[in-house]
């Protein structure tokens, strides 16, 4: 059993992919707006307010993806029929999630 994701494997977020893409496009627009604010010499506090909004939106996307990973990938690893492979797969998927959360908290 390959522990990493195979190219043909459906990811946990697949059912919400369109919603994630819409959200990311909205965030992309916000970032372009921040660049425009800097270019137009807008007030620094107003720019910082928009940066905080983008950070909050990105955190929401990140938390959604972590939830999808746990609900799909970790739970999927738990359904491995071979007990030895199951334990290894669960450990791997939980470590992936833990590492991702650690990166988010930096």
């Amino acid at each position: 059993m390959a522990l990493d994701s195979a190219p043909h494997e459906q990811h946990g977020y697949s059912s919400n992919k369109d919603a994630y893409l819409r959200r990311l496009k909205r965030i992309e627009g916000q970032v372009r707006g921040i660049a425009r604010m800097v270019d137009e010499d807008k007030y620094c506090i107003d720019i910082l307010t928009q940066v905080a909004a983008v950070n909050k939106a990105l955190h929401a996307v990140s938390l959604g993806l972590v939830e999808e990973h746990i609900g799909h990938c970790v739970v999927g690893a738990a359904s491995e029929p071979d007990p030895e492979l199951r334990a290894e797969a669960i450990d791997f998927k939980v470590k992936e999630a833990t590492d991702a959360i650690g990166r988010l908290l930096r």
Side-chain angles (χ1 to χ4, degrees):
M1 174 184 168
L3 294 179
D4 57 354
S5 59
H8 65 279
E9 188 177 307
Q10 184 177 12
H11 299 291
Y13 65 84
S14 294
S15 64
N16 295 317
K17 183 177 177 177
D18 290 339
Y20 281 115
L21 288 172
R22 278 191 306 276
R23 223 169 181 183
L24 289 167
K25 286 180 192 297
R26 192 168 39 244
I27 292 167
E28 182 182 15
Q30 287 178 284
V31 171
R32 280 194 307 272
I34 293 169
R36 192 169 36 257
M37 291 174 77
V38 170
D39 185 52
E40 295 171 358
D41 295 317
K42 298 296 182 183
Y43 186 54
C44 51
I45 297 300
D46 293 338
I47 296 169
L48 289 169
T49 298
Q50 292 307 309
V51 169
V54 167
N55 282 331
K56 183 177 177 183
L58 284 171
H59 282 127
V61 168
S62 299
L63 287 174
L65 289 169
V66 167
E67 184 176 352
E68 302 270 11
H69 176 73
I70 292 168
H72 181 266
C73 301
V74 175
V75 170
S79 67
E80 167 62 46
D82 181 317
E84 193 172 304
L85 290 177
R86 181 183 323 124
E88 184 181 345
I90 292 169
D91 288 346
F92 182 82
K93 293 299 181 180
V94 168
K95 174 112 175 67
E96 279 184 326
T98 303
D99 290 348
I101 292 166
R103 288 189 300 274
L104 290 171
L105 294 176
R106 284 188 212 144

